[in-house]
């Protein structure tokens, strides 16, 4: 079962995960990080600023989970722009070592395979940071996604477009319809997965992820098959866990990732 850690709030969660990433980078300066976008990872990146301050991050590599298809890479809400603004610039990473799937229409048919090849050439992802959608998606693997899938084009559900409308002036129709996303199989290849969720809206997806049957209807449940997954929650996100009390009592003194 995934290691589940319930902390008082999103800030505490961000600090714990930032500690894990900073420890990894200190031990392995050429670490390959899997970078997530959305609101959830922001406290992680915020906490990382002080933890990585002064560290040599010049060799850190990074791969984003996904990108909108057909959105100008220079658009402020392209994930290429978001990763540059929220991760690369504040943390002082080398932009040439950080990649996002190429969602431009020209050459899109090969973009998934090229992204997979780039991850493989980097030696695979050491630590993949993840959020979770209210519909149970990880990256943009919406319900019904193959649990063995690789980076490919997917159609966003109306739920996800409504969830992400806040980044597009509140208009779900302004959210692109398609994305290029790492597959569930791609994510499962990461050596360590750290999924963060906060808020009651995520409670059902978190319950399914941790306690539900493995099912393509809740793609995050595929993480139950991964040997090194840590799920970091605030109390509202943990509110539907039947085993919440058990997780609180058995919380490891040190998250398992610190032994990696
Ligand atoms: P959020 O998105 O962090 O903005 O809630 C998570 C996700 O869709 O994976």
């Amino acid at each position: 079962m995934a290691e589940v850690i319930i902390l008082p709030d999103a800030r505490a969660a961000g600090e714990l995960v930032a500690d894990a990433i900073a420890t990894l980078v200190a031990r392995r300066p050429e670490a390959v990080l899997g970078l997530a976008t959305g609101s959830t990872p922001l406290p992680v990146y915020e906490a990382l600023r002080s933890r990585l301050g002064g560290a040599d991050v010049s060799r850190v590599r990074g791969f984003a989970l996904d990108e909108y298809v057909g959105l100008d890479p220079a658009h402020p809400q392209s994930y290429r722009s978001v990763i540059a603004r929220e991760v690369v610039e504040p943390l002082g990473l080398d932009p040439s070592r950080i990649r996002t799937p190429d969602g431009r229409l020209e050459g899109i048919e090969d973009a998934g395979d090229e992204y997979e090849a780039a991850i493989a050439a980097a030696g695979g992802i050491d630590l993949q940071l993840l959020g979770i959608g209210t519909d149970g998606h990880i990256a943009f693997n919406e319900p019904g996604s193959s649990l063995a899938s690789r980076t490919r084009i997917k159609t966003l559900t109306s739920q996800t477009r409504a969830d992400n409308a806040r980044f597009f002036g509140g208009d779900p129709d302004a959210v692109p319809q398609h994305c290029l996303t790492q597959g569930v199989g791609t994510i499962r290849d990461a050596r360590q997965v750290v999924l963060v969720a906060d808020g009651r809206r995520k409670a059902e997806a978190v319950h399914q992820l941790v306690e539900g049957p493995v099912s393509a209807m809740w793609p995050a449940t595929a993480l139950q098959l991964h040997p090194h997954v840590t799920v970091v929650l605030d109390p509202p996100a943990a509110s539907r866990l039947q085993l919440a009390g058990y997780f609180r009592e058995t919380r490891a003194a040190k998250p398992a990732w610190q032994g990696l």
Side-chain angles (χ1 to χ4, degrees):
M1 179 178 266
E3 176 181 41
V4 177
I5 300 173
I6 304 168
L7 293 172
D9 53 34
R11 185 176 162 171
E15 289 174 354
L16 185 78
V17 176
D19 281 341
I21 295 173
T23 303
L24 170 67
V25 170
R27 201 176 52 240
R28 195 166 137 68
E30 68 286 6
V32 183
L33 303 178
L35 303 169
T37 45
S39 301
T40 310
L42 295 180
V44 176
Y45 300 137
E46 174 72 31
L48 261 178
R49 292 186 196 199
S50 57
R51 281 162 180 78
L52 286 182
D56 175 12
V57 294
S58 62
R59 283 182 286 156
V60 170
R61 305 196 59 147
F63 289 89
L65 284 168
D66 41 24
E67 179 60 287
Y68 293 111
V69 166
L71 195 64
D72 185 336
H75 188 287
Q77 292 306 330
S78 79
Y79 287 157
R80 183 187 166 89
S81 297
V82 170
I83 290 282
R85 191 168 63 234
E86 292 170 355
V87 186
V88 175
E89 289 160 16
L91 299 183
L93 304 183
D94 177 350
S96 71
R97 296 174 79 81
I98 309 297
R99 283 192 61 161
T100 306
D102 188 347
R104 287 174 296 184
L105 292 177
E106 196 182 352
I108 190 76
E109 56 281 357
D110 296 323
D113 288 348
E114 283 168 5
Y115 204 63
E116 291 282 334
I119 294 173
I125 289 170
D126 290 313
L127 188 151
Q128 178 64 59
L129 180 59
L130 285 181
I132 186 170
T134 56
D135 63 1
H137 70 217
I138 46 174
F140 273 143
N141 295 283
E142 300 285 30
S145 293
S146 160
L147 302 186
S149 49
R150 313 303 305 189
T151 304
R152 72 224 182 283
I153 294 174
K154 290 293 285 181
T155 304
L156 297 175
T157 61
S158 51
Q159 175 69 59
T160 295
R161 294 177 77 213
D163 285 347
N164 286 8
R166 67 191 192 281
F167 299 117
F168 290 86
D171 177 10
D173 290 334
V175 181
Q177 295 185 26
H178 299 100
C179 64
L180 192 60
T181 179
Q182 285 190 31
V184 180
T186 319
I187 294 167
R188 284 176 56 191
D189 283 349
R191 287 184 271 282
Q192 171 74 46
V193 174
V194 179
L195 185 145
V196 185
D198 59 78
R200 191 167 293 272
R201 323 171 23 250
K202 302 292 177 70
E204 177 62 18
V206 166
H207 161 60
Q208 294 291 338
L209 154 67
V210 177
E211 299 173 332
V214 175
S215 163
M217 288 306 291
W218 293 91
T221 60
L223 297 177
Q224 292 180 21
L225 303 172
H226 192 290
H228 299 292
V229 175
T230 301
V231 178
V232 185
L233 306 171
D234 72 349
S239 60
R240 297 208 55 184
L241 288 179
Q242 291 166 16
L243 297 176
Y246 168 83
F247 293 130
R248 281 197 194 88
E249 284 158 23
T250 61
R251 187 187 154 189
K254 271 171 120 186
W257 65 57
Q258 293 186 6
L260 284 182

